[in-house]
Amino acid sequence: MFYLTIDILGTIAFAISGVLVAMDKKLDLFGVFIIAFVTAVGGGTLRDMLIGNTPVAWMQDSIYTFTILGAVIFAILLQERLRYLRKSLFLFDTIGIGLYTMVGIDKGLQAELIPIMCIALGTITACFGGVIRDILCNEIPVIFRKEIYATACILGGGSYFLLTRLPIIDEYSFVASIIVVIGIRLLAVKYKIALPNIYRNKSA
Amino acid sequence: MFYLTIDILGTIAFAISGVLVAMDKKLDLFGVFIIAFVTAVGGGTLRDMLIGNTPVAWMQDSIYTFTILGAVIFAILLQERLRYLRKSLFLFDTIGIGLYTMVGIDKGLQAELIPIMCIALGTITACFGGVIRDILCNEIPVIFRKEIYATACILGGGSYFLLTRLPIIDEYSFVASIIVVIGIRLLAVKYKIALPNIYRNKSA
Amino acid sequence: MFYLTIDILGTIAFAISGVLVAMDKKLDLFGVFIIAFVTAVGGGTLRDMLIGNTPVAWMQDSIYTFTILGAVIFAILLQERLRYLRKSLFLFDTIGIGLYTMVGIDKGLQAELIPIMCIALGTITACFGGVIRDILCNEIPVIFRKEIYATACILGGGSYFLLTRLPIIDEYSFVASIIVVIGIRLLAVKYKIALPNIYRNKSA
């Protein structure tokens, strides 16, 4: 129940972030819905297609579709005020990537993949909805350009596999790793931590 | 036979619409062929990957590949005159989305999905070839921005599931729903009906 | 062993070509890695999803991930000198598409597809990593715009199916076809051979 609540909150946050990008591009109602939809379920869809877990997850449970539909209607009705909700949305989004990362890792374990591939699946689940959103809106994906985002997922996923080597109940490791993702992401934004600059030419 | 004829006409229309977009971008012969190809089969390919119906449809029957190849050659040879065929192309395209919608719904039923997911699959089959075409050509997908297009597919698909609740032979419901898609699309274009505007700020 | 060596060299060349494009776009470290990754494995990933060969190849063998990681670190450290390596990179890339084409054809044969679909799979394996790289970087894919690239894969793939009709050991046909891809690509670049122009309007 707790798990589902967080999952739905993450879906809402991702969907609304899709609505915001789509409305910036002046898409029509259908376009806004599709962008919200792919932002929320695109990462999990790519994950399921990569491991052959088909029909993909959102086709097997209509709760995601209806949640996204509700979030889109809510976001369109409250469009002037959405900017004020930015902080809540950021929090939902951050919780969302924490949970989505671990959902992806769980699917990787079920598919009997090695840890590094599970971490890749977790990161894809959490981050690639946003990547597909940006591609559909004709932008270079924002997570390729700034801040610790995917990196939080990778580190959180890595900490899960470290924790499972210790004598800790698996559920605790799972929850702790979600907290690691969320913590890294929050700290990175609060202290403006970015990935190390890789460009040597300063004029660039 | 009738079914196949319409399917091939739809493939031709989609392929030629791909050629037109690709030639506007000055792509080379290979680029034009690929854009024509993904426009015609991209929606069905995404559908098949989402439900795990692999190898995807176009790999199992080469008639699509050869039809598209023929359409591309035809379109390149007659490039100056294609603009005059605009009306016929629009009609083929409209028939195409009607049929593709119901093909997608049929695949969803075979995969034992619930009606709303079948409608989603139908809409993906009909519309996402054009979406992939636009992404490959570095444009925001046109169906996210204007007119009733996907909406016609959704309403036509919905009408199929309403009709199947009535004591009507399934084939009739199937054909009637194709006609609903086509009718809504034609009426929307003729009377310039668009989705309701969702933007409150008039200066936008 | 020889096969693996060439495969790894191809992966390195594709990964470095991804780094070069990503650095032109000023992506951050994560972005550069992802672009390198999709350039190297994107074609094979799409191929595996199209035929349902899941989990996709790179998830089943971590050598690709580590090779790409090494190539990215190497490329970032040596960024000023990479331009001088352009000729070696071109050679690796050319060998890479030759080998990737035949790897894709081999997978198509295993999936019992007809020759034309095997050739399509081979071409997808060799070329679509670069297509996904360009889409993620918000460019029209370069292979749709210039030079003989995919065409070399198609002709090399076609020559394989011609050779298998002759009384030749399969391994020889396989290697000969790799050489055909490489040869056509090298000749096309050396003699600036391009696909025939399809545009009649000279002012365009």
Side-chain angles (χ1 to χ4, degrees):
Chain A
M1 188 58 213
F2 168 77
Y3 180 98
L4 184 65
T5 309
I6 295 289
D7 193 12
I8 293 299
L9 284 179
T11 302
I12 293 171
F14 283 132
I16 293 179
S17 94
V19 171
L20 290 174
V21 175
M23 291 185 79
D24 279 349
K25 294 281 174 176
K26 298 287 159 207
L27 300 189
D28 71 12
L29 182 57
F30 176 74
V32 168
F33 176 72
I34 292 296
I35 300 297
F37 196 85
V38 299
T39 308
V41 307
T45 300
L46 178 56
R47 174 202 66 215
D48 287 342
M49 293 196 307
L50 289 171
I51 58 176
N53 188 14
T54 54
V56 300
W58 62 265
M59 292 203 156
Q60 301 195 23
D61 190 345
S62 56
I63 192 169
Y64 299 102
T65 303
F66 288 114
T67 299
I68 295 164
L69 199 56
V72 169
I73 293 170
F74 168 85
I76 289 172
L77 291 178
L78 291 187
Q79 55 186 278
E80 290 92 351
R81 315 231 181 136
L82 270 186
R83 309 286 162 181
Y84 300 99
L85 291 173
R86 201 165 274 264
K87 264 202 177 161
S88 312
L89 285 176
F90 168 70
L91 203 65
F92 288 174
D93 180 85
T94 302
I95 295 170
I97 63 166
L99 192 95
Y100 275 35
T101 300
M102 292 311 297
V103 169
I105 284 176
D106 191 44
K107 300 263 183 179
L109 289 169
Q110 282 171 38
E112 303 190 346
L113 297 174
I114 61 172
I116 192 175
M117 297 307 161
C118 294
I119 296 172
L121 276 186
T123 306
I124 287 169
T125 306
C127 300
F128 271 68
V131 170
I132 303 172
R133 171 199 67 207
D134 293 341
I135 293 171
L136 287 175
C137 289
N138 204 11
E139 301 280 348
I140 293 180
V142 66
I143 69 156
F144 295 168
R145 281 178 294 159
K146 62 173 188 191
E147 290 176 357
I148 302 289
Y149 192 98
T151 310
C153 303
I154 294 168
L155 295 176
S159 67
Y160 173 74
F161 287 101
L162 291 179
L163 288 171
T164 53
R165 299 197 169 192
L166 304 176
I168 298 173
I169 299 168
D170 195 55
E171 278 73 20
Y172 291 180
S173 302
F174 199 89
V175 172
S177 304
I178 294 175
I179 294 169
V180 170
V181 176
I182 295 171
I184 292 174
R185 174 79 183 130
L186 290 179
L187 289 174
V189 170
K190 187 171 167 76
Y191 296 105
K192 306 200 174 179
I193 301 165
L195 289 173
N197 176 36
I198 56 174
Y199 296 95
R200 236 171 266 146
N201 185 347
K202 271 160 196 174
S203 72
Chain B
M1 189 56 213
F2 168 77
Y3 180 98
L4 184 65
T5 309
I6 296 290
D7 193 11
I8 293 300
L9 283 179
T11 301
I12 292 170
F14 283 133
I16 292 178
S17 94
V19 171
L20 290 173
V21 175
M23 291 186 79
D24 278 348
K25 295 280 173 177
K26 297 286 159 206
L27 300 189
D28 71 11
L29 181 57
F30 175 74
V32 168
F33 176 71
I34 291 295
I35 299 297
F37 196 84
V38 299
T39 308
V41 307
T45 300
L46 178 57
R47 174 202 67 216
D48 287 342
M49 293 198 305
L50 289 171
I51 59 176
N53 187 13
T54 54
V56 300
W58 62 266
M59 291 201 159
Q60 300 193 25
D61 189 345
S62 55
I63 192 169
Y64 299 102
T65 303
F66 288 113
T67 300
I68 295 164
L69 199 57
V72 169
I73 293 169
F74 168 85
I76 289 173
L77 290 178
L78 291 188
Q79 54 186 281
E80 291 91 350
R81 316 230 182 137
L82 271 186
R83 310 287 162 181
Y84 300 99
L85 292 173
R86 202 166 274 266
K87 264 202 176 159
S88 311
L89 285 176
F90 168 72
L91 203 66
F92 288 174
D93 180 87
T94 303
I95 295 170
I97 64 166
L99 192 95
Y100 275 34
T101 300
M102 293 311 297
V103 169
I105 284 176
D106 190 45
K107 300 264 184 179
L109 289 169
Q110 282 171 36
E112 302 189 349
L113 297 173
I114 60 172
I116 191 175
M117 297 308 160
C118 294
I119 297 172
L121 276 186
T123 307
I124 287 169
T125 306
C127 300
F128 271 68
V131 170
I132 302 172
R133 172 198 66 208
D134 292 341
I135 293 171
L136 287 176
C137 289
N138 206 10
E139 300 280 349
I140 293 181
V142 65
I143 69 158
F144 294 170
R145 282 179 293 158
K146 62 173 190 193
E147 289 177 357
I148 302 288
Y149 192 97
T151 311
C153 303
I154 295 168
L155 295 175
S159 67
Y160 173 73
F161 287 101
L162 291 179
L163 288 171
T164 53
R165 299 197 169 191
L166 304 176
I168 299 173
I169 298 168
D170 194 54
E171 278 73 19
Y172 290 0
S173 302
F174 199 90
V175 173
S177 304
I178 294 174
I179 294 168
V180 170
V181 176
I182 295 171
I184 292 175
R185 176 76 184 132
L186 290 180
L187 288 174
V189 170
K190 186 171 168 76
Y191 296 106
K192 305 199 177 182
I193 300 167
L195 290 173
N197 176 35
I198 56 173
Y199 296 95
R200 235 170 266 145
N201 184 344
K202 273 162 195 175
S203 72
Chain C
M1 189 58 214
F2 168 76
Y3 180 97
L4 185 65
T5 309
I6 295 289
D7 193 11
I8 293 299
L9 284 179
T11 302
I12 292 171
F14 283 133
I16 292 178
S17 94
V19 171
L20 289 173
V21 175
M23 291 186 80
D24 278 349
K25 294 282 173 176
K26 297 288 157 204
L27 301 189
D28 71 11
L29 182 56
F30 176 75
V32 169
F33 176 70
I34 292 296
I35 300 297
F37 196 84
V38 300
T39 308
V41 307
T45 300
L46 178 56
R47 173 202 67 216
D48 287 342
M49 293 197 307
L50 289 171
I51 58 176
N53 186 13
T54 54
V56 298
W58 62 266
M59 292 202 157
Q60 300 194 25
D61 190 345
S62 54
I63 192 169
Y64 300 102
T65 304
F66 288 114
T67 300
I68 295 164
L69 199 57
V72 169
I73 293 169
F74 168 85
I76 290 173
L77 291 178
L78 291 187
Q79 54 186 279
E80 290 93 349
R81 316 233 180 134
L82 272 186
R83 309 287 161 180
Y84 300 100
L85 293 172
R86 201 166 275 266
K87 265 202 175 160
S88 312
L89 285 175
F90 167 71
L91 203 66
F92 288 175
D93 180 86
T94 302
I95 295 170
I97 63 166
L99 192 95
Y100 276 35
T101 300
M102 292 311 297
V103 170
I105 284 176
D106 189 45
K107 300 264 183 180
L109 289 169
Q110 282 170 38
E112 303 189 348
L113 297 173
I114 61 172
I116 191 174
M117 297 307 161
C118 294
I119 297 172
L121 277 186
T123 307
I124 287 170
T125 306
C127 300
F128 270 69
V131 170
I132 303 173
R133 172 198 67 207
D134 292 341
I135 293 171
L136 287 175
C137 289
N138 205 11
E139 301 281 349
I140 294 181
V142 65
I143 68 158
F144 294 169
R145 283 178 292 157
K146 59 172 191 193
E147 289 175 358
I148 302 288
Y149 192 98
T151 310
C153 303
I154 294 169
L155 295 175
S159 68
Y160 173 73
F161 287 102
L162 290 179
L163 288 171
T164 54
R165 299 198 169 191
L166 304 177
I168 299 174
I169 298 169
D170 195 54
E171 278 73 19
Y172 290 180
S173 301
F174 199 88
V175 172
S177 304
I178 294 175
I179 293 169
V180 170
V181 176
I182 295 171
I184 292 175
R185 175 76 183 131
L186 291 179
L187 289 174
V189 170
K190 187 170 168 76
Y191 296 105
K192 305 199 176 180
I193 302 166
L195 290 173
N197 176 36
I198 56 173
Y199 297 96
R200 233 169 270 144
N201 184 346
K202 272 162 194 173
S203 73

